[in-house]
Amino acid sequence: MERNIKAITDFIFISDKLSKSDVIVVPGTFRADIIKKALDIYKKGFSPYIITTGGVENEEGLIEPKFQKQYLIDNGVPAYVVFNETKSTNTKENAIYAKEELDKKGIKCDKIILVSKTYHARRLLMTFLPSFPMSDIKIVPVIDDRNITKDNWYKEREKIDKVMEEIEKIGEYFLKGDLSL
C-alpha cells in the first residue's frame, strides 16, 4: 500500500523551482489562492507578463479570466501586462487558446510558469506540453481551500477521491489525444 501511495504521489504532485520566465499562465479558476500565487510570483519579478484563461461563468455572469485580471489589477499589476484568454472551457482549451493569444501579442514562450492546484499539476503539465512543445514549463503548485497535499491526500476519502479523479481525467485526456506523455 505504501508503495502505491508513493507512486501516485510522485506522479500527480509536481513542484518546480521558480526561475525567470517569459509568462505566468493561470488556468481557468475562480479559486483565489491560484491568482494570489500568480500575483506573488509576478511581484517577485519572475515574469513580465501574466495570461489568465477560461470561459466559464460564475453565478454573477463573470468569466474566470475577468475575475482573475481584476484581482491582479486591484493588487497593483498594470493592466497592460495581463492578457485574457476567454474561450476555453477545459484544460486542453486553456493551453490551446493561451498559446494563440500569446502568439497574437508576440509574447515569447521559451519559459513558462504554470500555476496549479497541487492535485491538478500533472494533468496541467501534460495538457500544456502539446501546445508549448519547445517551452521550458515550470509548475508552481498551490494548496487551495481543499487542502490537498502530497503528504495528506491519502488520509481522507474526499481528498483521495479528488486525486483519483485527476488520474481518471489523465486517462480520459490520453485516450482522446489531448495530452502528451
Side-chain angles (χ1 to χ4, degrees):
M1 181 71 159
E2 275 186 39
R3 195 170 352 146
N4 293 339
I5 290 170
K6 182 177 177 356
I8 292 168
T9 301
D10 291 348
F11 179 67
I12 291 293
F13 295 88
I14 303 171
S15 181
D16 293 315
K17 185 175 183 202
L18 275 176
S19 61
K20 290 267 187 191
S21 296
D22 301 309
V23 64
I24 300 164
V25 179
V26 183
T29 186
F30 286 106
R31 295 189 177 278
D33 298 328
I34 305 292
I35 198 66
K36 284 179 184 176
K37 182 57 123 178
L39 174 66
D40 179 57
I41 294 166
Y42 173 82
K43 285 192 169 185
K44 288 180 178 172
F46 283 101
S47 178
Y49 300 106
I50 302 171
I51 184 164
T52 62
T53 68
V56 177
E57 284 186 16
N58 66 9
E59 307 79 45
E60 292 92 46
L62 186 66
I63 61 173
E64 296 159 319
K66 301 279 186 187
F67 158 77
Q68 295 167 346
K69 183 173 186 171
Q70 192 58 56
Y71 180 88
L72 293 166
I73 292 168
D74 290 348
N75 285 279
V77 178
Y80 65 88
V81 304
V82 182
F83 307 111
N84 285 2
E85 171 284 300
T86 60
K87 299 185 292 189
S88 63
T89 60
N90 60 49
T91 305
K92 179 185 179 185
E93 290 177 357
N94 288 158
I96 291 169
Y97 297 137
K99 177 72 167 123
E100 283 179 8
E101 190 64 29
L102 292 167
D103 286 348
K104 273 196 283 186
K105 302 286 186 195
I107 305 298
K108 71 179 187 167
C109 300
D110 296 335
K111 294 183 176 193
I112 297 171
I113 296 170
L114 271 176
V115 184
S116 173
K117 295 174 274 196
T118 55
Y119 50 89
H120 183 55
R122 176 62 65 183
R123 181 163 57 100
L124 186 66
L125 176 61
M126 293 172 81
T127 306
F128 266 72
L129 285 171
S131 292
F132 295 90
M134 304 308 290
S135 300
D136 178 15
I137 301 174
K138 301 294 184 195
I139 298 287
V140 178
V142 176
I143 299 170
D144 67 9
D145 59 332
R146 291 182 176 116
N147 192 33
I148 299 173
T149 70
K150 67 181 184 173
D151 299 319
N152 73 9
W153 72 266
Y154 53 89
K155 295 179 179 177
E156 297 174 32
R157 180 87 252 156
E158 188 175 294
K159 292 175 181 175
I160 292 168
D161 289 347
K162 199 68 185 160
V163 171
M164 292 298 115
E165 179 183 307
E166 276 301 312
I167 291 172
E168 186 177 321
K169 285 182 179 180
I170 289 169
E172 290 170 8
Y173 273 51
F174 175 75
L175 291 173
K176 291 189 301 183
D178 288 354
L179 54 76
S180 173
L181 299 176

